[in-house]
Short mmCIF file of all heavy atoms in Angstrom, two decimals:
data_model
loop_
_atom_site.label_atom_id
_atom_site.label_comp_id
_atom_site.label_asym_id
_atom_site.label_seq_id
_atom_site.Cartn_x
_atom_site.Cartn_y
_atom_site.Cartn_z
N SER A 1 9.10 1.81 -11.78
CA SER A 1 9.45 3.23 -12.09
C SER A 1 10.95 3.49 -12.03
O SER A 1 11.39 4.44 -12.76
CB SER A 1 8.75 4.18 -11.12
OG SER A 1 9.29 4.10 -9.81
N LEU A 2 11.73 2.71 -11.42
CA LEU A 2 13.19 2.78 -11.47
C LEU A 2 13.73 2.16 -12.73
O LEU A 2 14.79 2.59 -13.23
CB LEU A 2 13.77 2.10 -10.23
CG LEU A 2 13.68 2.76 -8.93
CD1 LEU A 2 14.27 1.77 -7.87
CD2 LEU A 2 14.35 4.04 -8.86
N LYS A 3 13.11 1.11 -13.23
CA LYS A 3 13.64 0.30 -14.31
C LYS A 3 13.16 0.71 -15.67
O LYS A 3 13.59 0.14 -16.67
CB LYS A 3 13.38 -1.18 -14.08
CG LYS A 3 13.97 -1.77 -12.84
CD LYS A 3 15.45 -1.63 -12.85
CE LYS A 3 16.03 -2.77 -13.69
NZ LYS A 3 17.49 -2.73 -13.75
N THR A 4 12.18 1.63 -15.76
CA THR A 4 11.62 2.01 -17.03
C THR A 4 11.85 3.51 -17.32
O THR A 4 12.33 4.18 -16.51
CB THR A 4 10.17 1.73 -17.16
OG1 THR A 4 9.47 2.41 -16.03
CG2 THR A 4 9.79 0.25 -16.95
N GLU A 5 11.49 3.90 -18.53
CA GLU A 5 11.57 5.30 -18.89
C GLU A 5 10.58 5.64 -19.92
O GLU A 5 9.85 4.80 -20.40
CB GLU A 5 13.02 5.51 -19.45
CG GLU A 5 13.37 4.69 -20.69
CD GLU A 5 14.84 4.87 -21.08
OE1 GLU A 5 15.64 5.42 -20.34
OE2 GLU A 5 15.12 4.48 -22.21
N GLY A 6 10.45 6.94 -20.13
CA GLY A 6 9.46 7.43 -21.19
C GLY A 6 8.08 7.27 -20.74
O GLY A 6 7.66 7.49 -19.60
N ASP A 7 7.18 6.94 -21.82
CA ASP A 7 5.75 6.87 -21.62
C ASP A 7 5.35 5.75 -20.56
O ASP A 7 4.44 5.91 -19.83
CB ASP A 7 5.07 6.61 -22.94
CG ASP A 7 5.11 7.75 -23.86
OD1 ASP A 7 5.31 8.86 -23.38
OD2 ASP A 7 4.99 7.59 -25.12
N LEU A 8 6.10 4.61 -20.67
CA LEU A 8 5.81 3.53 -19.71
C LEU A 8 6.05 4.02 -18.30
O LEU A 8 5.25 3.70 -17.41
CB LEU A 8 6.63 2.28 -20.17
CG LEU A 8 6.42 1.06 -19.29
CD1 LEU A 8 4.95 0.66 -19.32
CD2 LEU A 8 7.30 -0.02 -19.69
N GLN A 9 7.11 4.65 -18.08
CA GLN A 9 7.43 5.17 -16.73
C GLN A 9 6.39 6.05 -16.25
O GLN A 9 5.96 6.09 -15.07
CB GLN A 9 8.83 5.78 -16.68
CG GLN A 9 9.24 6.21 -15.24
CD GLN A 9 10.59 6.87 -15.26
OE1 GLN A 9 10.98 7.54 -16.07
NE2 GLN A 9 11.33 6.64 -14.15
N ASP A 10 5.92 7.05 -17.12
CA ASP A 10 4.90 8.00 -16.79
C ASP A 10 3.61 7.29 -16.41
O ASP A 10 2.97 7.68 -15.41
CB ASP A 10 4.60 8.94 -17.90
CG ASP A 10 5.84 9.86 -18.22
OD1 ASP A 10 6.65 9.98 -17.32
OD2 ASP A 10 5.90 10.38 -19.36
N ARG A 11 3.24 6.29 -17.13
CA ARG A 11 2.04 5.48 -16.75
C ARG A 11 2.21 4.75 -15.43
O ARG A 11 1.28 4.71 -14.65
CB ARG A 11 1.75 4.48 -17.88
CG ARG A 11 1.17 5.07 -19.08
CD ARG A 11 0.78 4.13 -20.18
NE ARG A 11 0.70 2.77 -19.89
CZ ARG A 11 0.96 1.76 -20.67
NH1 ARG A 11 1.40 2.04 -21.84
NH2 ARG A 11 0.76 0.49 -20.30
N ILE A 12 3.39 4.22 -15.23
CA ILE A 12 3.61 3.57 -13.95
C ILE A 12 3.56 4.49 -12.78
O ILE A 12 2.99 4.19 -11.75
CB ILE A 12 4.98 2.76 -14.02
CG1 ILE A 12 4.85 1.57 -14.97
CG2 ILE A 12 5.42 2.27 -12.64
CD1 ILE A 12 6.19 0.93 -15.30
N VAL A 13 4.17 5.65 -12.89
CA VAL A 13 4.13 6.61 -11.82
C VAL A 13 2.69 7.12 -11.57
O VAL A 13 2.38 7.19 -10.37
CB VAL A 13 5.06 7.85 -12.19
CG1 VAL A 13 4.90 9.00 -11.25
CG2 VAL A 13 6.49 7.41 -12.19
N ARG A 14 1.93 7.33 -12.61
CA ARG A 14 0.51 7.70 -12.37
C ARG A 14 -0.19 6.62 -11.63
O ARG A 14 -1.05 6.78 -10.73
CB ARG A 14 -0.16 8.04 -13.66
CG ARG A 14 0.20 9.43 -14.23
CD ARG A 14 -0.73 9.82 -15.30
NE ARG A 14 -0.85 8.87 -16.43
CZ ARG A 14 -0.03 8.89 -17.47
NH1 ARG A 14 0.93 9.74 -17.59
NH2 ARG A 14 -0.15 7.94 -18.46
N LEU A 15 0.03 5.33 -12.06
CA LEU A 15 -0.63 4.21 -11.43
C LEU A 15 -0.15 4.06 -9.98
O LEU A 15 -0.86 3.45 -9.18
CB LEU A 15 -0.31 2.95 -12.28
CG LEU A 15 -1.02 1.66 -11.89
CD1 LEU A 15 -2.57 1.85 -12.02
CD2 LEU A 15 -0.61 0.50 -12.80
N SER A 16 1.05 4.41 -9.65
CA SER A 16 1.66 4.25 -8.35
C SER A 16 0.79 4.95 -7.32
O SER A 16 0.61 4.46 -6.15
CB SER A 16 3.08 4.84 -8.34
OG SER A 16 3.96 4.06 -9.07
N TRP A 17 0.27 6.11 -7.69
CA TRP A 17 -0.61 6.90 -6.76
C TRP A 17 -1.85 6.04 -6.36
O TRP A 17 -2.19 5.94 -5.18
CB TRP A 17 -0.99 8.21 -7.32
CG TRP A 17 0.12 9.21 -7.32
CD1 TRP A 17 0.93 9.55 -8.36
CD2 TRP A 17 0.63 9.96 -6.20
NE1 TRP A 17 1.84 10.45 -7.89
CE2 TRP A 17 1.66 10.71 -6.60
CE3 TRP A 17 0.16 10.03 -4.85
CZ2 TRP A 17 2.34 11.53 -5.79
CZ3 TRP A 17 0.85 10.91 -4.03
CH2 TRP A 17 1.94 11.62 -4.46
N SER A 18 -2.50 5.51 -7.30
CA SER A 18 -3.69 4.67 -7.08
C SER A 18 -3.33 3.45 -6.27
O SER A 18 -4.03 3.13 -5.32
CB SER A 18 -4.39 4.26 -8.35
OG SER A 18 -4.71 5.48 -9.14
N LEU A 19 -2.29 2.80 -6.66
CA LEU A 19 -1.89 1.54 -5.99
C LEU A 19 -1.43 1.86 -4.51
O LEU A 19 -1.74 1.05 -3.62
CB LEU A 19 -0.84 0.84 -6.74
CG LEU A 19 -1.28 0.21 -8.08
CD1 LEU A 19 -0.05 -0.32 -8.83
CD2 LEU A 19 -2.35 -0.82 -7.88
N PHE A 20 -0.81 2.96 -4.32
CA PHE A 20 -0.39 3.29 -2.98
C PHE A 20 -1.65 3.62 -2.13
O PHE A 20 -1.66 3.22 -0.99
CB PHE A 20 0.51 4.57 -2.90
CG PHE A 20 0.88 4.92 -1.50
CD1 PHE A 20 1.81 4.16 -0.81
CD2 PHE A 20 0.39 5.98 -0.96
CE1 PHE A 20 2.10 4.50 0.53
CE2 PHE A 20 0.69 6.40 0.32
CZ PHE A 20 1.55 5.64 1.09
N GLY A 21 -2.62 4.27 -2.70
CA GLY A 21 -3.88 4.55 -1.94
C GLY A 21 -4.53 3.21 -1.57
O GLY A 21 -5.03 3.01 -0.45
N PHE A 22 -4.64 2.28 -2.52
CA PHE A 22 -5.23 0.97 -2.31
C PHE A 22 -4.42 0.19 -1.20
O PHE A 22 -5.00 -0.40 -0.31
CB PHE A 22 -5.26 0.19 -3.62
CG PHE A 22 -5.87 -1.17 -3.49
CD1 PHE A 22 -7.27 -1.31 -3.25
CD2 PHE A 22 -5.09 -2.32 -3.61
CE1 PHE A 22 -7.84 -2.55 -3.07
CE2 PHE A 22 -5.70 -3.58 -3.55
CZ PHE A 22 -7.09 -3.67 -3.28
N PHE A 23 -3.08 0.23 -1.25
CA PHE A 23 -2.23 -0.35 -0.27
C PHE A 23 -2.55 0.28 1.11
O PHE A 23 -2.66 -0.42 2.10
CB PHE A 23 -0.79 -0.24 -0.68
CG PHE A 23 0.15 -0.53 0.51
CD1 PHE A 23 0.39 -1.85 0.85
CD2 PHE A 23 0.77 0.44 1.28
CE1 PHE A 23 1.18 -2.23 1.98
CE2 PHE A 23 1.61 0.11 2.32
CZ PHE A 23 1.81 -1.21 2.66
N LEU A 24 -2.64 1.56 1.18
CA LEU A 24 -2.87 2.29 2.50
C LEU A 24 -4.14 1.86 3.06
O LEU A 24 -4.27 1.61 4.27
CB LEU A 24 -2.77 3.73 2.23
CG LEU A 24 -2.40 4.65 3.38
CD1 LEU A 24 -1.05 4.25 3.95
CD2 LEU A 24 -2.33 6.09 2.99
N ILE A 25 -5.25 1.75 2.28
CA ILE A 25 -6.50 1.32 2.80
C ILE A 25 -6.47 -0.07 3.36
O ILE A 25 -6.91 -0.35 4.46
CB ILE A 25 -7.57 1.40 1.65
CG1 ILE A 25 -7.92 2.88 1.32
CG2 ILE A 25 -8.88 0.73 2.09
CD1 ILE A 25 -8.67 3.09 0.03
N LEU A 26 -5.81 -1.02 2.57
CA LEU A 26 -5.68 -2.37 3.06
C LEU A 26 -4.79 -2.44 4.31
O LEU A 26 -5.03 -3.20 5.22
CB LEU A 26 -5.06 -3.24 1.94
CG LEU A 26 -5.98 -3.57 0.82
CD1 LEU A 26 -5.31 -4.38 -0.25
CD2 LEU A 26 -7.25 -4.26 1.27
N TYR A 27 -3.72 -1.64 4.36
CA TYR A 27 -2.82 -1.61 5.45
C TYR A 27 -3.56 -1.19 6.73
O TYR A 27 -3.43 -1.84 7.76
CB TYR A 27 -1.69 -0.67 5.16
CG TYR A 27 -0.74 -0.53 6.27
CD1 TYR A 27 0.35 -1.40 6.46
CD2 TYR A 27 -0.75 0.60 7.16
CE1 TYR A 27 1.22 -1.22 7.49
CE2 TYR A 27 0.11 0.80 8.15
CZ TYR A 27 1.12 -0.15 8.40
OH TYR A 27 2.04 0.01 9.36
N PHE A 28 -4.25 -0.13 6.71
CA PHE A 28 -5.02 0.34 7.90
C PHE A 28 -6.15 -0.60 8.27
O PHE A 28 -6.34 -0.85 9.45
CB PHE A 28 -5.58 1.79 7.70
CG PHE A 28 -4.50 2.82 7.73
CD1 PHE A 28 -4.32 3.74 6.71
CD2 PHE A 28 -3.67 2.89 8.84
CE1 PHE A 28 -3.34 4.69 6.77
CE2 PHE A 28 -2.68 3.84 8.93
CZ PHE A 28 -2.50 4.82 7.88
N ALA A 29 -6.85 -1.19 7.36
CA ALA A 29 -7.89 -2.14 7.61
C ALA A 29 -7.27 -3.39 8.25
O ALA A 29 -7.80 -3.87 9.27
CB ALA A 29 -8.63 -2.57 6.37
N THR A 30 -6.16 -3.84 7.75
CA THR A 30 -5.50 -5.00 8.37
C THR A 30 -5.05 -4.70 9.81
O THR A 30 -5.13 -5.55 10.66
CB THR A 30 -4.31 -5.45 7.50
OG1 THR A 30 -4.81 -5.75 6.16
CG2 THR A 30 -3.62 -6.70 8.08
N THR A 31 -4.52 -3.50 9.99
CA THR A 31 -4.07 -3.08 11.31
C THR A 31 -5.18 -3.08 12.30
O THR A 31 -5.08 -3.56 13.45
CB THR A 31 -3.38 -1.73 11.23
OG1 THR A 31 -2.21 -1.83 10.36
CG2 THR A 31 -2.85 -1.32 12.63
N VAL A 32 -6.29 -2.47 11.84
CA VAL A 32 -7.43 -2.37 12.78
C VAL A 32 -8.03 -3.75 13.15
O VAL A 32 -8.26 -4.08 14.24
CB VAL A 32 -8.54 -1.48 12.15
CG1 VAL A 32 -9.89 -1.54 12.93
CG2 VAL A 32 -8.09 -0.05 12.15
N VAL A 33 -8.19 -4.60 12.09
CA VAL A 33 -8.64 -5.96 12.38
C VAL A 33 -7.73 -6.72 13.20
O VAL A 33 -8.18 -7.45 14.14
CB VAL A 33 -8.87 -6.70 10.96
CG1 VAL A 33 -9.11 -8.22 11.16
CG2 VAL A 33 -10.04 -6.08 10.22
N THR A 34 -6.47 -6.64 13.03
CA THR A 34 -5.49 -7.29 13.87
C THR A 34 -5.58 -6.86 15.32
O THR A 34 -5.68 -7.67 16.23
CB THR A 34 -4.02 -7.12 13.31
OG1 THR A 34 -3.97 -7.53 12.00
CG2 THR A 34 -3.05 -7.70 14.24
N LEU A 35 -5.69 -5.55 15.57
CA LEU A 35 -5.73 -5.08 16.85
C LEU A 35 -7.05 -5.42 17.64
O LEU A 35 -7.04 -5.60 18.84
CB LEU A 35 -5.51 -3.56 16.91
CG LEU A 35 -4.09 -3.06 16.53
CD1 LEU A 35 -3.97 -1.60 16.45
CD2 LEU A 35 -3.06 -3.65 17.43
N VAL A 36 -8.12 -5.45 16.80
CA VAL A 36 -9.45 -5.84 17.39
C VAL A 36 -9.53 -7.31 17.62
O VAL A 36 -9.96 -7.72 18.73
CB VAL A 36 -10.60 -5.33 16.50
CG1 VAL A 36 -11.94 -5.88 16.94
CG2 VAL A 36 -10.66 -3.80 16.51
N GLN A 37 -9.19 -8.15 16.63
CA GLN A 37 -9.32 -9.60 16.72
C GLN A 37 -8.27 -10.26 17.55
O GLN A 37 -8.49 -11.30 18.21
CB GLN A 37 -9.35 -10.20 15.29
CG GLN A 37 -10.59 -9.80 14.49
CD GLN A 37 -11.79 -10.40 14.99
OE1 GLN A 37 -11.85 -11.54 15.48
NE2 GLN A 37 -12.90 -9.59 14.89
N PHE A 38 -7.04 -9.69 17.60
CA PHE A 38 -5.91 -10.28 18.32
C PHE A 38 -5.27 -9.30 19.22
O PHE A 38 -4.18 -8.80 18.95
CB PHE A 38 -4.91 -10.85 17.29
CG PHE A 38 -5.57 -11.77 16.30
CD1 PHE A 38 -5.80 -11.38 14.98
CD2 PHE A 38 -5.80 -13.08 16.62
CE1 PHE A 38 -6.37 -12.25 14.07
CE2 PHE A 38 -6.35 -13.99 15.75
CZ PHE A 38 -6.62 -13.51 14.43
N PRO A 39 -5.90 -8.94 20.34
CA PRO A 39 -5.35 -7.97 21.18
C PRO A 39 -4.07 -8.34 21.81
O PRO A 39 -3.25 -7.44 22.23
CB PRO A 39 -6.43 -7.71 22.28
CG PRO A 39 -7.27 -8.91 22.18
CD PRO A 39 -7.25 -9.45 20.82
N LEU A 40 -3.70 -9.66 21.81
CA LEU A 40 -2.42 -10.10 22.38
C LEU A 40 -1.25 -9.68 21.39
O LEU A 40 -0.10 -9.86 21.82
CB LEU A 40 -2.45 -11.61 22.58
CG LEU A 40 -3.34 -12.13 23.74
CD1 LEU A 40 -3.34 -13.63 23.73
CD2 LEU A 40 -2.84 -11.56 25.02
N ALA A 41 -1.56 -9.25 20.26
CA ALA A 41 -0.58 -8.87 19.28
C ALA A 41 0.42 -7.76 19.85
O ALA A 41 1.54 -7.69 19.40
CB ALA A 41 -1.17 -8.48 17.93
N ILE A 42 -0.12 -6.92 20.72
CA ILE A 42 0.71 -5.84 21.22
C ILE A 42 1.12 -6.13 22.64
O ILE A 42 1.67 -5.21 23.30
CB ILE A 42 -0.01 -4.48 21.08
CG1 ILE A 42 -1.38 -4.48 21.85
CG2 ILE A 42 -0.19 -4.09 19.66
CD1 ILE A 42 -1.91 -3.04 21.92
N SER A 43 0.89 -7.34 23.17
CA SER A 43 1.33 -7.62 24.58
C SER A 43 2.82 -7.59 24.68
O SER A 43 3.34 -7.23 25.76
CB SER A 43 0.80 -9.00 25.01
OG SER A 43 1.34 -10.00 24.16
N ASN A 44 3.56 -7.95 23.64
CA ASN A 44 4.99 -7.89 23.78
C ASN A 44 5.63 -6.50 23.72
O ASN A 44 6.67 -6.27 24.18
CB ASN A 44 5.68 -8.71 22.60
CG ASN A 44 5.62 -10.18 22.78
OD1 ASN A 44 5.52 -10.65 23.89
ND2 ASN A 44 5.54 -10.90 21.66
#
């Protein structure tokens, strides 16, 4: 979105919302799995 302009940039910005939502779901799922499966991860 920084490197493009016009219609392509508009499509990328619209797609960014969906991709961010997908990233957020994976991020939280990975965090939960990590904390459940590897409780030593927060021992430090």
Side-chain angles (χ1 to χ4, degrees):
S1 68
L2 289 175
K3 298 298 283 181
T4 57
E5 57 187 15
D7 292 337
L8 181 59
Q9 184 183 34
D10 293 339
R11 286 184 15 214
I12 290 170
V13 169
R14 282 194 306 272
L15 188 60
S16 296
W17 285 99
S18 302
L19 292 175
F20 178 73
F22 183 66
F23 167 76
L24 206 57
I25 290 167
L26 290 178
Y27 177 83
F28 285 125
T30 303
T31 301
V32 168
V33 168
T34 300
L35 294 176
V36 169
Q37 294 291 322
F38 306 101
L40 291 176
I42 60 170
S43 64
N44 284 334

